[in-house]
Amino acid sequence: MTLTQRYVALGDSFTEGVGDWDPSRPNGVRGWADRVAEQLSLADPSWEYANLAIRGKKLRQVIDEQIEPALALKPTLVTLYAGGNDILRPKVDIDAIVQAYDGAIGRLRSGGAAVLVFTGFDSGQSPIFGRTRGRTALYNELVREAADAHGAVLVDYWRMKVLQDERYWDTDRLHMSPAGHILTAKKVLEVLRATDALDVPELDSLPAMDRIQRLKHDARWAREYLGPWVGRRLRGVSSGDNLSARYPSPVSLRPAD
């Protein structure tokens, strides 16, 4: 008798899959977690997959809304990333949120699941998001300690310097492009010591821009993406307020291409 193995993905837009757009899938996205699930199932059909992540969620929302439903699914493997939306707020107590994160990792591990967590991305090259680099570095060190304490597996996203290439990011500069999601899926599978048949696509050449063109390009980005993002923060609303989890019940995913 083949025992079912179950992968449950938890978190915010990073894990939901924003930036890897696919109108045929729930919430219109695919993402690295789907791609990991597809490869696990390709290697072993007993794998099932649920994804409870919703864009815009802060760390305590992820814990309060996703941990118990995840445990109820009796997962074999859980991936968890949360805290990025907290770090981008004007004020945040990094010690307090990672203390809560530590407790969530412990609860998941006590349920018998293998748990994989991420450090935050090094945004030091970004003129806007780079201002949070110090916060992210502190968050990362505390997450590493929590992972060590609970025997969780760690993907050190901070050290994936190849992702400094802007072509791995969507036009909003906050979420990964399909290529970035594929690269992340390969890294997760590598850390899990799982095989994969994923090919990272060749990146398009970046258009040459002089200083004036770059300024216009940045101004358009600020108008179309940064302004609305700041506006949502000021109004206390989220892009995920009207969304539900993409795969709240376990499914079997197969590679789409």
Side-chain angles (χ1 to χ4, degrees), residues 9-100:
L10 309 179
D12 53 27
S13 60
F14 172 75
T15 302
E16 186 189 350
V18 175
D20 189 6
W21 305 107
D22 184 339
S24 71
R25 299 205 178 201
N27 295 356
V29 295
R30 186 178 183 183
W32 65 264
D34 279 23
R35 295 174 185 276
V36 166
E38 291 162 9
Q39 295 301 308
L40 291 174
S41 183
L42 187 65
D44 182 348
S46 71
W47 276 101
E48 295 180 343
Y49 168 60
N51 189 324
L52 309 184
I54 297 177
R55 67 195 73 177
K57 295 297 183 181
K58 293 193 285 187
L59 188 145
R60 291 186 185 278
Q61 291 175 303
V62 171
I63 292 172
D64 293 344
E65 299 169 13
Q66 298 177 24
I67 298 297
E68 289 303 323
L71 288 170
L73 294 173
K74 301 187 183 305
T76 308
L77 167 68
V78 177
T79 59
L80 173 63
Y81 175 70
N85 290 311
D86 300 79
I87 289 170
L88 292 172
R89 293 306 193 272
K91 293 182 180 180
V92 60
D93 186 336
I94 299 294
D95 292 276
I97 66 168
V98 181
Q99 183 177 16

Side-chain angles (χ1 to χ4, degrees), residues 19 47 94 99 162 166 177 201 211 230:
W47 276 101
I94 299 294
Q99 183 177 16
V162 65
E166 65 183 81
S177 67
R211 180 174 175 276
V230 172

Side-chain angles (χ1 to χ4, degrees), residues 163-170 177-180 203-206:
L163 287 171
Q164 298 289 352
D165 189 319
E166 65 183 81
R167 292 172 293 182
Y168 285 115
W169 295 87
D170 194 25
S177 67
L203 301 176
D204 295 333
S205 298
L206 287 172

Side-chain angles (χ1 to χ4, degrees), residues 24 75 94 113 121 136 138 140 156 167 187 197 201 232 256:
S24 71
I94 299 294
F121 178 66
T136 304
L138 173 59
N140 288 351
D156 204 337
R167 292 172 293 182
K187 184 63 176 180
R232 289 194 298 273

